[in-house]
Amino acid sequence: MGSRLVGYGSYLPEKVMTNQDFEKIMDTSDEWIVQRTGMRERHFAAADETVVDMAANAARRALNSANLTIDDIDMLIVATTSSELDFPSVAVQVLGALGAKNNAPAFDVRGACTGYIYGLHCARAFFSAGMHNRIMVIGAEKMSRFIDFNDRNTAVLFGDGAGALIFERSSSGYSGIIDTVVMGDGREFDMLHGSPDHKIIMNGPETYKKAVTLMPAAAQHIMEHAGITAENVDWIIPHQANLRIIQSGAARLGFPLEKILITVDKHANTSGASGVLALSYGLDNGYIKHGQLVLYPAFGSGLTWGAALIRV
Ligand code: UT7
């Protein structure tokens, strides 16, 4: 039992924060940010715009693209680590925002930057078990909530946004979410985590070293698991944390850069929303075409890491 992708959508807040905007408020430069990260701008949600608002906007667009209503969805999974409320889940609040009446189960997955891969992993399992027919996976983050504007090491790295994907159960094992692998290692907690006062604590260079090995390892792992090689993959959408990490991973795997979809320049690191936002961007702008095979490696706080293979 497999799945197929029937709809997608994304949402980016209106406010664009450029590197030049950061130059005005802290000791940084456009040159440093571009050279070290590849980032040029990111979107920041308005003060009263919540993770639920962004997730609901992406969900509406995905439903429109699939010509469905929220009551056609029988499970909603939201990958997020930045919910303003401790409870209930963002997912069930999205059901409320969209007026769902069908009592579908809805829950959040907290996998930090690997969150959307964890969400896709859950969706694949529910399809494989034959338990659900139409699952929406959303990645939504308001990372700007955690930004310490006194810490230039982390402040420039993150952005806000949401992306949504809708999958339908299908008898084909060759479409939709074809495969997923997810991993976690709590021993590396110190490298990157939130603080009790909601700030980002990160050892950048150590995190970098892990990211350049674990993302390619996850990509390799899933290709072996699925019995495919780099030539079979049309696009790679790595977690968009840093252009240098992406380029280094591509070189390790022998993937040509033309196959790598890059949005880190426009969106920066949107954590659990990064891959779903990037897939929507690739589809909207005609890079990714129906029937193509997309490989999604991701890595983040936890540590967590993993990969998904999706035929769009
Ligand atoms: O999504 C979850 C996963 N997250 C990641 O994968 C992030 C991984 N890490 C990175 O992407 C990189 O380590 C960073 C982009 C965070 C930092 O780049 P780096 O090349 O590792 O720089 P660094 O931390 O070694 O810092 C080099 C210098 C330091 O100055 P000194 O001590 O050499 O004088 C920093 O203070 O760059 C300085 N620096 C800055 N300068 C201007 C750090 N941040 C900034 C800044 N503007 N924003």
Side-chain angles (χ1 to χ4, degrees):
M1 203 57 84
S3 63
R4 64 191 183 99
L5 179 70
V6 295
Y8 72 93
S10 64
Y11 173 78
L12 286 161
E14 213 177 299
K15 181 177 175 189
V16 175
M17 182 83 179
T18 63
N19 292 350
Q20 287 75 15
D21 293 328
F22 273 107
E23 282 177 348
K24 290 177 201 144
I25 57 171
M26 62 176 64
D27 179 18
T28 189
S29 66
D30 175 53
E31 192 192 354
W32 189 95
I33 302 171
V34 171
Q35 272 181 10
R36 300 292 178 120
T37 71
M39 295 168 186
R40 292 180 186 276
E41 57 188 40
R42 67 288 289 144
H43 292 251
F44 277 0
D48 61 351
E49 196 169 28
T50 64
V51 176
V52 173
D53 295 333
M54 293 190 282
N57 283 332
R60 278 187 199 99
R61 290 175 186 171
L63 289 167
N64 282 342
S65 86
N67 211 9
L68 295 170
T69 73
I70 188 65
D71 287 317
D72 297 317
I73 302 297
D74 67 7
M75 173 173 275
L76 176 59
I77 303 171
V78 177
T80 189
T81 314
S82 49
S83 172
E84 290 84 354
L85 300 183
D86 292 332
F87 58 90
S89 66
V90 168
V92 84
Q93 292 180 76
V94 169
L95 290 184
L98 298 184
K101 295 180 200 72
N102 66 344
N103 302 334
F107 60 92
D108 293 354
V109 171
R110 282 165 67 99
C113 299
T114 321
Y116 54 97
I117 305 298
Y118 272 72
L120 291 167
H121 188 66
C122 295
R124 180 169 78 90
F126 283 111
F127 283 129
S128 302
M131 290 171 70
H132 288 272
N133 291 313
R134 218 178 266 128
I135 304 179
M136 174 143 58
V137 178
I138 299 178
E141 300 281 13
K142 186 170 176 176
M143 294 307 289
S144 59
R145 257 174 31 77
F146 302 137
I147 290 178
D148 178 354
F149 286 93
N150 296 311
D151 180 10
R152 67 176 183 172
N153 290 289
T154 54
V156 301
L157 302 177
F158 296 93
D160 302 336
L165 303 174
I166 301 173
F167 297 94
E168 218 167 67
R169 196 159 88 176
S170 142
S171 52
S172 165
Y174 300 101
S175 62
I177 312 167
I178 292 173
D179 205 356
T180 50
V181 291
V182 285
M183 273 80 74
D185 182 355
R187 291 170 300 177
E188 307 283 11
F189 166 89
D190 285 347
M191 211 172 275
L192 172 57
H193 59 89
S195 68
D197 60 343
H198 309 294
K199 298 283 184 288
I200 297 160
I201 312 291
M202 180 171 76
N203 179 333
E206 287 304 314
T207 308
Y208 186 99
K209 279 188 227 157
K210 283 286 180 185
V212 295
T213 54
L214 293 179
M215 278 212 287
Q220 196 61 48
H221 182 148
I222 202 168
M223 286 194 291
E224 280 164 20
H225 196 239
I228 61 164
T229 62
E231 288 79 59
N232 304 117
V233 175
D234 295 300
W235 285 98
I236 305 199
I237 307 184
H239 169 49
Q240 308 281 320
N242 184 321
L243 183 58
R244 288 187 298 140
I245 294 175
I246 294 172
Q247 287 167 337
S248 151
R252 271 171 202 249
L253 289 164
F255 277 109
L257 278 177
E258 309 85 74
K259 278 191 176 186
I260 320 281
L261 194 81
I262 290 165
T263 55
V264 69
D265 53 332
K266 297 171 198 65
H267 304 159
N269 183 349
T270 57
S271 191
S274 135
V276 257
L277 254 176
L279 180 62
S280 291
Y281 174 86
L283 288 162
D284 281 338
N285 290 283
Y287 296 114
I288 300 173
K289 301 203 167 54
H290 183 65
Q292 287 189 322
L293 189 61
V294 179
L295 170 54
Y296 254 134
F299 164 87
S301 163
L303 298 180
T304 54
W305 68 104
L309 261 182
I310 293 181
R311 193 173 295 282
V312 296

